Amino acid sequence: MTTAILTDIEGTTSSIAFVRDVLFPYARARLPEFIRAHGHAPGVRRWLDAVAIEIAAGACDDAVIAETMQGWIDQDRKHTALKALQGMIWEAGYREGDFTAPLYPDVLPALRAWHAAGHRLAVYSSGSVPAQKLLFSHTEAGDLTPLFSGFFDTEIGGKREAASYRAIADRLGQMPETILFLSDVVEELDAARAAGLRTTLLDRVQDYPQPRLGDATHGHPRAESFAQIAP
């Protein structure tokens, strides 16, 4: 069976700085008004209610929910409800041309070459699936979503849990050992390896000026560029 390539986004295909310095502040600034304007919509309400139940057994208003989620953004908390609402806000930003998604220069040639060679491509990120699709459909190189066979977020499970990677393998119809997972987070790679996937640590100089070598890699193959990866 041909190798499938499962990739993270932040720190792997795109710089951490894009998410930290562009996307997060954009969502944080617009979150209260977005909730006021769209909080009645079922697709938004479900996430607001989930947050309300978590923080106060449902006994809080939307302003408190907005303030709580702004705090989560500041903490870089990987919460499914927050990720879903951020994705909705980012959609407007992409649509209005407020930003486009940058990719590392080695990413596009590699993705196209792997796709042309018959490797299935998929994404697994803590960002919501809609946010992932927005990013890859609004890159500086145009819409890249046709290259991908699947998109997965934390609704399938946490990124540091082996069960999540087994579930992804099942969804892709691939044996775990035929999937190569690319990430900049060692603990995610540990979980993927425990599930039987092959792994490669992305150690990009822009995001990690101090190289992670030896024991710091946890035994995962290391690459500084997609050009160094052979599926």
Side-chain angles (χ1 to χ4, degrees), residues 67 77 135 146 229:
E67 184 177 353
R77 184 171 175 187
L135 186 149
I229 298 169

Side-chain angles (χ1 to χ4, degrees), residues 38-203:
H38 304 286
H40 62 283
V44 175
R45 190 76 252 163
R46 63 173 289 219
W47 297 117
L48 299 180
D49 289 345
V51 174
I53 290 170
E54 179 172 336
I55 64 176
C60 60
D61 61 24
D62 285 355
V64 174
I65 294 171
E67 184 177 353
T68 297
M69 288 196 289
Q70 286 179 316
W72 289 353
I73 292 173
D74 296 340
Q75 299 161 16
D76 192 22
R77 184 171 175 187
K78 311 297 185 183
H79 193 287
T80 301
L82 174 61
K83 295 296 183 182
L85 293 174
Q86 283 177 320
M88 296 177 195
I89 295 169
W90 292 334
E91 180 178 8
Y94 283 116
R95 185 176 61 247
E96 294 168 11
D98 291 341
F99 44 77
T100 56
L103 299 176
Y104 282 111
D106 54 272
V107 169
L108 180 58
L111 292 178
R112 285 179 170 163
W114 294 340
H115 184 267
H119 298 291
R120 299 177 69 195
L121 306 179
V123 176
Y124 182 29
S125 172
S126 59
S128 68
V129 166
Q132 296 172 26
K133 291 180 178 179
L134 279 170
L135 186 149
F136 281 107
S137 64
H138 293 85
T139 75
E140 296 168 336
D143 183 4
L144 304 185
T145 55
L147 296 176
F148 294 95
S149 299
F151 294 86
F152 303 94
D153 59 23
T154 53
E155 286 204 78
I156 204 165
K159 296 190 72 183
R160 302 186 184 196
E161 301 170 10
S164 305
Y165 298 89
R166 288 191 285 267
I168 289 173
D170 184 63
R171 292 273 189 93
L172 291 175
Q174 298 265 157
M175 297 297 292
E177 61 269 22
T178 68
I179 301 175
L180 172 61
F181 179 51
L182 311 178
S183 177
D184 65 313
V185 180
V186 174
E187 292 80 7
E188 294 176 2
L189 297 167
D190 291 344
R193 183 171 57 192
L197 279 65
R198 296 165 49 209
T199 58
T200 295
L201 172 66
L202 268 297
D203 201 30

